Amino acid sequence: MRTRMTGFPSGGGGQMILGAESERGDIAGLEPLKTFRSRWPAIIGAVLTLAMIGGLARELFGNGLAGLSRSVPSDPRFYLCFALLYMSPPTGDYVIFRRLWGIPVAGLVALIKKRIANEVVFGYSGDAYFYAWARAKAQMVASPFGAVKDVTILSAIAGNGITLAMVAIALPLSRELLPPEMFRTVLGSAGITFAISLPFLIFSRRVFSLPRATLWWVFMIHCIRLMCGSLLIALAWHFAMPDVTIAMWLFLAAGRLLVSRLPLVPNKDLLFANFAILLIGQDQALSELIAFTAALTLLVHVVLIILFSAHAVATRARG
C-alpha cells in the first residue's frame, strides 16, 4: 500500500517554499520596527510640542500674566524692535541652514519651535526637535547630525566668547557697584565659561565635521546675531523708557547677555534686575519693564505654538 503525499513537491522544492515563507515571516516581523523608525521624528516632534505647551502654561500663568498686567509701553517702536529681537535667533539659524542644506522658508517654523523648546522645556531639547525635523526631511539632507551638532556648539562658543569680552569690559566698570561676593561669583563664572569652551577649540578637528571655512562663517553669523540682539533689546528698552540714554541701555544689554551665560548664578533675572537698578535707579519702572518683556516673549511663544498646531491639524485633515 502506497502512501501518497500531496501539497509539497518532492526534493528541494519544499525547502525552497519553506524558506520563502520563513523569509516573508521575517520581513513581516521587521515591518513594525521599520514603521517606527520612519515615524520617530514625528513622535519626537509631537512629544516636544506637548512639553512646550505645558511649559508655556506653567510660565505664563506663574509670573507671565503678572508681567503683562503692569505698565505697557506705548511707543510702537518698542514692539517693532521686540518683534525683530524675537525673530533674530531663528533668522540667524535659517541663514545658516539655508546655506548648508538649502532649507525652504517652511524650515523657519521648525527653527522657531527649536527656540521655544530650548527656552521653556529644557536646554537643547529644541536642537533635538530640529534634528528630528531634519531627519524627517531625508530627501533634503541625508545625514543632518553633524551639521546640527556643529551649529549648536558654535552657537555656544560664540555666546561664551562675546560673554568673556563683555566680562573684560564690564568688570572693571562694575567692580565698585557689585558686592564682593557677587563680584567673585561673576569672576568664577567667567573662568568656568572659558574652561567650557576651551576643549572644543583644542580638539576642533575631532569635534567638528563641517569644513573649516564653513565653521568660521557659521561662527560669524552667530556673533552677528548676538550683537544684533543686544542692540535691539537696548533700542526697545530705550523707546519704553526714553529718559535713559541709549548708551546706558547698550551697556545694560551687554550685562544681560553676560548674566544669561553665567553658570554659577541661580537667579539670572534677579541678578540682572538688581544690576540694572544699581546703574539707572527707577526700581519700579525698570522692574515692570523687564517683567513685561519676559511676559511678552512667553505670550508670543503661546500664540505661535497655537497657530503652528492648528495649521498642522488642518493640514493633516486635508491630507
Side-chain angles (χ1 to χ4, degrees), residues 11 19 42 62 96 138 151 192 195 236 285 310:
I96 291 171
V151 172
I192 292 178

Side-chain angles (χ1 to χ4, degrees), residues 8-308:
F8 296 104
S10 60
Q15 295 178 358
M16 292 174 61
I17 294 175
L18 289 174
E21 291 182 351
S22 176
E23 184 178 353
R24 284 195 298 270
D26 292 341
I27 293 174
L30 289 174
E31 283 179 354
L33 180 60
K34 183 179 179 181
T35 302
F36 174 78
R37 286 178 178 175
S38 64
R39 292 180 179 175
W40 74 263
I43 294 172
I44 290 180
V47 170
L48 276 176
T49 298
L50 292 175
M52 282 188 278
I53 293 172
L56 286 169
R58 183 186 70 250
E59 295 289 340
L60 190 62
F61 290 103
N63 298 324
L65 291 178
L68 283 175
S69 65
R70 295 168 182 153
S71 58
V72 177
S74 57
D75 193 327
R77 292 175 294 180
F78 169 85
Y79 300 97
L80 174 62
C81 291
F82 175 84
L84 295 174
L85 172 67
Y86 185 91
M87 289 302 299
S88 60
T91 301
D93 286 341
Y94 177 77
V95 171
I96 291 171
F97 286 105
R98 176 74 178 178
R99 173 171 172 175
L100 295 181
W101 298 341
I103 65 174
V105 177
L108 191 59
V109 174
L111 290 167
I112 293 173
K113 289 183 178 180
K114 168 179 174 285
R115 179 206 167 161
I116 296 174
N118 280 340
E119 291 186 5
V120 304
V121 183
F122 56 87
Y124 299 109
S125 60
D127 295 275
Y129 166 80
F130 184 67
Y131 172 69
W133 177 86
R135 284 296 302 267
K137 307 293 182 181
Q139 71 277 8
M140 181 183 65
V141 52
S143 180
F145 176 77
V148 173
K149 167 183 64 67
D150 288 0
V151 172
T152 301
I153 294 174
L154 286 172
S155 175
I157 292 176
N160 291 345
I162 292 181
T163 297
L164 292 173
M166 297 298 181
V167 170
I169 296 172
L171 276 186
L173 300 176
S174 60
R175 188 182 184 103
E176 301 299 326
L177 296 174
L178 296 177
E181 297 80 7
M182 188 177 296
F183 183 84
R184 287 193 294 268
T185 299
V186 172
L187 200 60
S189 298
I192 292 178
T193 301
F194 176 76
I196 290 173
S197 302
L198 195 59
F200 295 104
L201 301 176
I202 295 175
F203 303 104
S204 59
R205 292 187 177 181
R206 297 185 179 181
V207 171
F208 297 110
S209 56
L210 294 174
R212 183 172 296 273
T214 303
L215 293 174
W216 277 110
W217 180 82
V218 171
F219 179 79
M220 180 192 67
I221 295 297
H222 282 311
C223 290
I224 293 173
R225 172 182 61 81
L226 289 167
M227 290 186 288
C228 288
S230 296
L231 175 62
L232 287 168
I233 191 64
L235 288 173
W237 285 341
H238 174 66
F239 294 137
M241 296 178 63
D243 52 330
V244 180
T245 64
I246 187 64
M248 180 59 71
W249 283 124
L250 284 170
F251 183 76
L252 286 175
R256 176 177 174 266
L257 179 63
L258 167 62
V259 170
S260 68
R261 293 276 173 172
L262 297 179
L264 299 180
V265 179
N267 194 328
K268 297 178 174 59
D269 292 334
L270 180 61
L271 173 61
F272 172 70
N274 290 335
F275 179 68
I277 289 170
L278 283 173
L279 285 178
I280 67 173
Q282 306 185 48
D283 301 23
Q284 182 176 359
L286 183 59
S287 299
E288 290 176 353
L289 177 59
I290 293 173
F292 178 81
T293 305
L296 187 59
T297 302
L298 288 173
L299 183 62
V300 174
H301 286 346
V302 170
V303 171
L304 288 177
I305 284 297
I306 292 174
L307 290 177
F308 294 155

